[in-house]
Amino acid sequence: MILAIETSCDDTCAAVVGHRGEIHSNEIASQGLLHERYGGVVPEIASRRHLELVDAVVADALEDAGAALDDVDSVAVTRGPGLIGALLVGLSSAKALAAARRLPLVPVDHLHGHVVASTLGPDPIEPPYVCLVASGGHTFVARVDDPASYAILGQTLDDAAGEAFDKGARILGLGYPGGPAIDRLAREGDPRAFGFPRSLPKGGEDSGGLDFSFSGLKTSLLYRARDLGERESERRRADLAASYQAAIVDSLTTRLGEAIEREGVRNVALGGGVAANSALRAAAASLCERLGTRLWTPARELCTDNAAMIGAAARFSPQVAYPGYLALDASARLG
Ligand code: KG4
Ligand code: ZN
């Protein structure tokens, strides 16, 4: 069994995953409430909290799996990208756990985790597949021929989709994190009430032509809310949320559709926190039905940050033998 640890942002996560992708446990201690009053993640507070929580979360993951450290044959950990102080807490814990038993360590790229989340469980996705990863820090479409790696076909040129949700929610006075709040409120609104721009940038020469851009959209919401005035934008908040969400979802599924057609694959996956969004899940499902492809939408807790997906990526990543990993550094910008 693989013991996996993930602390790249504001969730302290540990999981026990089998070598065939079985999820024996998947623990997530969310720090959401701690950062809410600041309107976003405060890196120093996140690292301190990881330090307080990580041992207990690892113990819980083992207990939940009905396992002991003796049953673990490797320790996987997110090496980056993410908040450097937060990453260091997970990496140091993983090193200590592995070194104490002379186990190998598997350093994992957080985004690789999002890309292979659909290889977990009883019905794993098989390559080749196209994957849309939309999270708080990253947004891209990638092709996977071998789950050991992924080739990016297009990515955001400015804000990530999750960032667009979070910034939009702040403009609408919905608090942090914004994605789930917009998702909820949008259910009561009309997605066609307001026309927000669907930006589909051509990108540079080597971009592959499937890039995204979300910064103009956020500005457009800001101006629209300002034009409506405080009372009116408050009254029409659900319509604003639904229309804004529709613009993000449209851009994401347009590029996903183009990638599927261009790459000619039959299998498609979603990943990243924004893949927990109900409108995106529904739109991607109808897109794939129309194109005759099969879609894997991981359970919501496997879309947002979690350690099971780090264990999944570890199955396809090189191990570093003891004591080679003791000098390994975390990396805020990996790749
Ligand atoms: O993958 P993730 O948990 O962390 C990063 O790697 O960034 O993604 C977090 C992002 C946040 O921006 C959050 O607002 C967004 O995912 N998110 C959602 C939903 N749940 C989380 N966005 C839209 N709808 C949701 N239901
Ligand atoms: Zn993530």
Side-chain angles (χ1 to χ4, degrees), residues 102 126 215 273:
R102 306 291 189 260
E126 295 280 343
S215 68

Side-chain angles (χ1 to χ4, degrees), residues 83-324:
L83 304 171
I84 192 71
L87 288 164
L88 275 171
V89 175
L91 182 63
S92 309
S93 309
K95 281 182 187 176
L97 284 161
R101 295 185 179 244
R102 306 291 189 260
L103 294 175
L105 188 89
V106 192
V108 169
D109 159 17
H110 178 84
L111 299 169
H112 187 199
H114 282 307
V115 168
V116 298
S118 296
T119 65
L120 288 166
D123 177 30
I125 194 169
E126 295 280 343
Y129 65 89
V130 157
C131 182
L132 167 70
V133 171
S135 74
H138 298 83
T139 296
F140 60 85
V141 267
R143 181 188 169 103
V144 178
D145 285 300
D146 172 332
S149 66
Y150 54 95
I152 290 186
L153 306 171
Q155 59 192 315
T156 184
L157 302 175
D158 39 59
D159 292 352
E163 206 176 339
F165 271 105
D166 295 336
K167 288 176 176 169
R170 192 190 290 212
I171 293 169
L172 296 175
L174 293 174
Y176 175 87
I182 291 192
D183 194 347
R184 269 193 305 276
L185 185 62
R187 286 177 204 150
E188 298 154 29
D190 175 4
R192 280 176 293 267
F194 297 97
F196 286 114
R198 272 75 167 152
S199 169
L200 295 166
K202 291 232 184 336
E205 266 183 13
D206 53 9
S207 74
L210 295 177
D211 288 333
F212 304 86
S213 166
F214 295 104
S215 68
L217 175 62
K218 165 197 70 195
T219 312
S220 165
L221 175 66
L222 184 68
Y223 289 156
R224 188 58 69 99
R226 198 175 286 169
D227 290 347
L228 286 172
E230 209 170 310
R231 276 190 55 188
E232 191 61 7
S233 65
E234 170 81 35
R235 195 179 69 78
R236 305 206 56 193
R237 209 152 70 146
D239 285 343
L240 284 166
S243 305
Y244 183 74
Q245 173 175 273
I248 298 176
V249 168
D250 259 9
S251 301
L252 292 172
T253 49
T254 299
R255 287 306 194 217
L256 179 61
E258 287 166 349
I260 296 168
E261 291 194 308
R262 204 178 80 182
E263 299 299 315
V265 295
R266 320 266 328 145
N267 292 347
V268 181
L270 299 183
V274 178
N277 182 266
S278 357
L280 176 61
R281 291 164 87 91
S286 52
L287 170 75
C288 287
E289 197 180 317
R290 187 158 54 75
L291 297 178
T293 51
R294 193 171 158 208
L295 177 70
W296 274 256
T297 352
R300 283 184 165 79
E301 65 273 17
L302 294 173
C303 292
T304 47
D305 285 350
N306 67 88
M309 71 177 193
I310 301 306
R315 293 163 63 218
F316 312 114
S317 306
Q319 297 187 341
V320 183
Y322 174 84

